[in-house]
Amino acid sequence: PRSHDLNIWLVLTYVALGQEKEARQVAEKLLEILPQFPAKAWVNKYFSHFKDPKIKARIIEQFTKAGLK
């Protein structure tokens, strides 16, 4: 897999587990690979099939907690 894909999912997983320090560390690595990572656009692309807007909002919140926007 592409390393940025792994880092994206690790960020979300760490935040979901309450490990925000680790999530921020992985987010920093992600930003080295993709300096302009578009968190909201990524969520809208990969979670567009979810009807409940709360799901997308939760994912965006997880990115925000890790320092991604």
Side-chain angles (χ1 to χ4, degrees), residues 4 7 9 11-12 16-17 24 26 33-34 36 39 45 47 53-56 58 68:
H4 68 273
N7 286 326
W9 290 106
V11 166
L12 296 174
L17 293 172
R24 285 189 295 275
V26 175
I33 299 166
L34 296 171
Q36 300 297 321
K45 178 178 180 180
F47 289 84
K54 292 178 189 175
I55 294 171
K56 289 197 284 188
R58 185 178 70 224
L68 300 170

Side-chain angles (χ1 to χ4, degrees), residues 5 7 9 12 14 27-28 30-31 34 45-46 60-61 63 67:
D5 289 340
N7 286 326
W9 290 106
L12 296 174
Y14 278 136
E28 288 175 11
L30 175 62
L31 291 174
L34 296 171
K45 178 178 180 180
Y46 290 100
I60 291 170
E61 180 182 341
F63 279 134

Side-chain angles (χ1 to χ4, degrees), residues 41-54:
W42 186 89
V43 171
N44 287 329
K45 178 178 180 180
Y46 290 100
F47 289 84
S48 62
H49 58 284
F50 285 87
K51 302 293 184 210
D52 187 350
K54 292 178 189 175

Side-chain angles (χ1 to χ4, degrees), residues 1 5-6 8 11 15 17 19 27 29-30 34 38 40 49 56-57 61 64-65 69:
D5 289 340
L6 177 61
I8 291 167
V11 166
V15 172
L17 293 172
Q19 299 176 343
K29 290 179 185 178
L30 175 62
L34 296 171
K40 289 181 183 179
H49 58 284
K56 289 197 284 188
E61 180 182 341
T64 302
K65 285 182 179 182
K69 297 183 182 204

